[in-house]
Amino acid sequence: MSDKSRKTFLMIIFLCVLFILVWVSDKFLDEYTMRVIRTGLIYIIAAISYNLINGIAGQFSLGPNGFMALGGYMVALLMLPLEQKKFVWFLKPLIWPFNSFSFTKAFFPLAIFFGGMAGALGALVVGFPTLRLRGDYLAIATFGFSQIIIVLANNLISVTNGALGIKGVPEYANIYWCLAWAIITVLFTTNLANSSYGRAMKSIRDDEIAAESMGISIFKHKLLAFVVSGFFAGVSGGLMTSLITTISPSLFSFTMTFNLLIIIVLGGLGSITGSVITAFAFAILSELLRFVESPINLGPIYIPGIAGMRMLVFSFLLVVLMIFYRRGIFGEKELSWDWVLSRFGSKNHQGVKVCPGKTEHF
Amino acid sequence: MSWKNGAFLALDKVSLNFGGLLAVSDFDFILRQGELVGLIGPNGAGKTTVFNIITGQYEPVRGRVFFKGQDITGWRPDRVTCAGIARTFQNMRLFGGLTVLDNVLVSRHSKLKSSVLAAAFNFPGYIKEEREAKIKAMGLLDRLGLADLAHMRAGNLPYGQQRRVEIARALAADPKVLLLDEPAAGMNPEETIRLMEFISGVRNEFGLTIFLIEHDMKLVMGICERIHVIDYGISIAEGTPKEIQDDPKVISAYLGEEACDYS
């Protein structure tokens, strides 16, 4: 078997095993655990989309929560049943065309796709004027954008129902949809990052002036990374909204961006597999660490429950990691079949060989 | 343009100032097809600025830049490169995180016809284009004796090899004109001689027109057919290496008024 077909074969087996695993856990695990897993999968999508713009194209954006909010509201507006819409918008009526239709369950993937398109459109609109900026300036501009989205969400009552939010979005984001979108995101982004376009983005990250002098249109490729990133951020926002069945401006506040930033920096900027692992770990840890926010009795010492203590743990982790592993757990590397095979597989396989055009392997 | 008959690349009275500092002033220059011309001058004379004006990093305040009879003044650098002018940098600017092969492939990207979606979904058309680009890039590295380094991270290579990779990367863009900004900077005499041979070889093999900036007189005098001297942004002399060596203006620019027996 050739190297390539072996990897395809392994990939198919891996996906089958993953599917069976999910099917089994869906059957036997309780609702709470499944929710954590679904949240983890959604975090994976959001983190990869953020890593594309920050780690691969090297543009420091602080706006993913804005794109997620766009996707979330789009999905809420499309999926909310009509009678629920009349019930939710009691302050001001919902604007046309959303007041005249709603998607049935069968169209849920389409609604998520439209959520992604909303995020992509938002990225296009924001990226056009701001991507001429570099470094800190871009970060400030995208931060401003995400704040604008939250302010709009609070005040455009006839679309977003303001701070009250939209309640009663059907919970169609089951484990299979979350998994399917996560797989699509991983495969699409990996392929894009390893393609000629991905190389162009990485060249811009490494040296903008040199990239431009090698015939790369800087603006076009930054915008491309931004729009693709916006699409998947929108998808993750849509899934998240459907998972927790409500959306309000506070759901996609700047804390979301901060969480994602922790995830991609911990996983390694530019490493997609790194983002997958840390995003999933982040979702699980967020639940496991709930105990630090409850009152703790340590013999003579009594610590009252402090909300937000979990973030302190993550921030501490980030500080420690920045001191000892400045480039994140994975650096820029990817967990690959080559590495897996060299560890566990046939002895004649050269695990450390670097494939042309691919990212470095372990 | 009658006065610039046969010009491949021409600068017509180009001026650029940074605030009050006149970087380049009324600079006239022509490059004929197939020539190898050197641009020399003391530190801060405006040599790199001339390069930056040609490649579009800077837009001149006055004057025009012509390439193959076309006015390219004010074009974006990527457009200039696609038109056929590639360059290297004085302080090398390789993509340190990418492999040598990927560095070269970046230059092929502007030739890619497949769309983003075709690339991300690995459509057969894209895979074919990618394979062709890789074959071409590997062929180029092979011809330049860099094939062994193809899968090394560019940032980890020794200095001299990085210089060669930078030239390879510029060549991958299929240029007609190659601009080399101090290719021998930081090299010892032996490396410089090897580089001279390398540049001459590249030129013959790819049929290039080369314009190079260099401090190393030995290199410039050895391979250039014509030399242009610039000082304080003003063109002070032009001619064959022999003529330049004997030009009193050049001697005074380099060695001060008194010294006149430089050769």
Side-chain angles (χ1 to χ4, degrees):
Chain A
M1 230 188 305
S2 79
D3 201 41
K4 197 163 183 179
S5 60
R6 170 156 51 185
K7 275 181 204 159
T8 319
F9 179 67
L10 281 169
M11 195 69 199
I12 291 166
I13 290 186
F14 175 74
L15 289 177
C16 290
V17 169
L18 200 66
F19 182 80
I20 291 166
L21 213 66
V22 163
W23 184 77
V24 169
S25 47
D26 194 30
K27 267 248 168 354
F28 296 103
L29 292 177
D30 58 300
E31 172 66 10
Y32 169 71
T33 318
M34 287 315 288
R35 248 188 123 72
V36 176
I37 293 174
R38 282 190 281 166
T39 314
L41 290 170
I42 293 169
Y43 267 126
I44 287 176
I45 301 170
I48 289 175
S49 91
Y50 194 31
N51 208 347
L52 178 66
I53 188 79
N54 263 22
I56 291 167
Q59 303 306 308
F60 189 31
S61 153
L62 286 176
N65 62 317
F67 304 130
M68 287 176 79
L70 286 175
Y73 275 107
M74 182 54 112
V75 169
L77 286 168
L78 290 175
M79 293 307 297
L80 200 69
L82 271 181
E83 56 272 31
Q84 184 74 11
K85 281 182 178 173
K86 289 194 195 88
F87 175 70
V88 166
W89 275 269
F90 61 88
L91 291 172
K92 274 186 190 173
L94 177 62
I95 54 151
W96 188 86
F98 297 111
N99 60 359
S100 57
F101 73 96
S102 93
F103 280 10
T104 55
K105 189 174 181 182
F107 288 102
F108 177 65
L110 192 66
I112 295 293
F113 180 78
F114 279 132
M117 290 313 274
L121 194 70
L124 192 70
V125 171
V126 183
F128 218 80
T130 59
L131 284 177
R132 290 166 213 281
L133 303 172
R134 288 177 192 183
D136 303 346
Y137 303 105
L138 179 70
I140 293 162
T142 47
F143 174 69
F145 153 76
S146 60
Q147 293 306 304
I148 289 170
I149 295 285
I150 303 305
V151 169
L152 284 178
N154 267 315
N155 292 289
L156 279 179
I157 294 173
S158 53
V159 184
T160 65
N161 201 30
L164 292 172
I166 302 167
K167 291 178 183 66
V169 182
E171 193 185 338
Y172 294 148
N174 61 18
I175 185 78
Y176 298 106
W177 280 126
C178 292
L179 182 71
W181 277 105
I183 290 172
I184 290 170
T185 311
V186 171
L187 292 182
F188 186 92
T189 316
T190 311
N191 266 348
L192 182 66
N194 287 334
S195 78
S196 190
Y197 287 91
R199 265 196 309 267
M201 289 172 194
K202 289 174 195 163
S203 76
I204 292 170
R205 171 193 68 193
D206 280 2
D207 193 322
E208 213 164 288
I209 289 173
E212 198 174 32
S213 293
M214 295 307 127
I216 306 288
S217 166
I218 303 282
F219 181 66
K220 189 179 131 193
H221 288 88
K222 280 188 189 173
L223 198 62
L224 178 68
F226 219 57
V227 168
V228 173
S229 170
F231 178 83
F232 287 114
V235 165
S236 68
L239 287 170
M240 184 87 90
T241 304
S242 180
L243 172 70
I244 56 184
T245 70
T246 69
I247 180 169
S248 67
S250 61
L251 177 61
F252 297 113
S253 63
F254 186 66
T255 317
M256 180 61 81
T257 294
F258 185 64
N259 289 346
L260 293 175
L261 195 59
I262 291 181
I263 291 170
I264 63 167
V265 173
L266 284 180
L269 283 173
S271 171
I272 292 166
T273 36
S275 288
V276 170
I277 290 164
T278 43
F280 204 71
F282 185 89
I284 291 169
L285 270 181
S286 305
E287 290 305 315
L288 290 181
L289 286 172
R290 276 198 186 279
F291 76 91
V292 297
E293 291 186 3
S294 57
I296 302 168
N297 231 333
L298 291 169
I301 312 161
Y302 173 75
I303 305 166
I306 305 165
M309 277 295 280
R310 280 182 294 170
M311 285 315 291
L312 208 68
V313 175
F314 286 121
S315 307
F316 180 72
L317 251 177
L318 190 66
V319 171
V320 170
L321 211 80
M322 283 306 99
I323 294 170
F324 296 105
Y325 285 92
R326 200 153 302 153
R327 307 189 57 205
I329 296 167
F330 280 77
E332 229 180 274
K333 296 180 173 112
E334 300 285 0
L335 193 59
S336 67
W337 288 121
D338 282 335
W339 180 77
V340 175
L341 286 173
S342 72
R343 270 297 161 96
F344 309 106
S346 49
K347 289 194 174 65
N348 57 3
H349 190 82
Q350 293 251 304
V352 281
K353 204 175 93 189
V354 179
C355 295
K358 290 265 168 67
T359 353
E360 265 178 84
H361 304 294
F362 271 109
Chain B
M1 292 295 293
S2 57
W3 59 278
K4 278 170 184 171
N5 266 340
F8 201 46
L9 176 71
L11 301 183
D12 184 13
K13 295 215 177 331
V14 167
S15 298
L16 178 69
N17 49 307
F18 301 113
L21 177 79
L22 203 59
V24 174
S25 167
D26 282 338
F27 190 79
D28 266 333
F29 170 76
I30 59 168
L31 191 63
R32 293 184 197 88
Q33 190 159 11
E35 270 187 319
L36 204 169
V37 177
L39 179 63
I40 63 170
N43 280 326
K47 303 184 293 292
T48 300
T49 310
V50 170
F51 268 29
N52 284 338
I53 289 171
I54 297 173
T55 55
Q57 254 94 19
Y58 298 147
E59 192 176 344
V61 190
R62 279 192 312 277
R64 322 292 314 163
V65 183
F66 296 92
F67 177 55
K68 292 197 280 191
Q70 194 175 17
D71 189 345
I72 61 164
T73 323
W75 281 22
R76 274 202 329 266
D78 54 297
R79 231 180 123 197
V80 173
T81 306
C82 293
I85 301 176
R87 71 173 294 181
T88 66
F89 294 89
Q90 185 179 354
N91 45 344
M92 284 176 290
R93 287 173 172 273
L94 284 177
F95 308 121
L98 303 184
T99 63
V100 168
L101 180 62
D102 280 354
N103 264 276
V104 173
L105 282 170
V106 165
S107 291
R108 302 296 311 170
H109 180 67
S110 58
K111 311 275 187 293
L112 190 77
K113 289 184 195 73
S114 300
S115 71
V116 191
L117 291 179
F121 289 117
N122 274 335
F123 284 176
Y126 166 74
I127 292 185
K128 186 161 165 275
E129 269 195 291
E130 175 82 359
R131 198 188 308 122
E132 282 165 1
K134 267 182 189 153
I135 290 169
K136 188 143 189 175
M138 275 312 290
L140 182 68
L141 288 174
D142 206 26
R143 279 154 87 183
L144 301 181
L146 297 166
D148 299 342
L149 309 174
H151 303 306
M152 303 266 286
R153 255 174 87 108
N156 296 345
L157 294 179
Y159 195 80
Q161 283 175 336
Q162 286 200 20
R163 285 255 172 235
R164 284 157 171 256
V165 173
E166 230 204 347
I167 295 174
R169 188 180 65 173
L171 287 174
D174 280 345
K176 301 282 180 291
V177 176
L178 184 61
L179 308 181
L180 301 172
D181 196 345
E182 297 206 22
M187 287 189 173
N188 62 34
E190 192 200 333
E191 283 174 321
T192 306
I193 290 169
R194 278 220 302 275
L195 184 78
M196 273 167 68
E197 287 161 3
F198 181 70
I199 293 173
S200 312
V202 162
R203 177 196 176 199
N204 295 334
E205 186 154 2
F206 295 86
L208 289 171
T209 307
I210 297 180
F211 185 28
L212 67 88
I213 292 177
E214 193 44 71
H215 264 310
D216 193 307
M217 282 303 147
K218 204 166 159 194
L219 189 142
V220 176
M221 299 296 171
I223 62 173
C224 293
E225 285 140 16
R226 217 151 47 81
I227 293 172
H228 221 90
V229 190
I230 184 172
D231 193 17
Y232 293 110
I234 297 162
S235 169
I236 58 169
E238 195 225 319
T240 61
K242 187 82 194 78
E243 287 164 4
I244 293 298
Q245 270 175 344
D246 299 337
D247 193 309
K249 278 207 273 188
V250 178
I251 296 166
S252 70
Y254 265 89
L255 302 167
E257 292 291 340
E258 307 298 316
C260 282
D261 55 352
Y262 169 78
S263 56

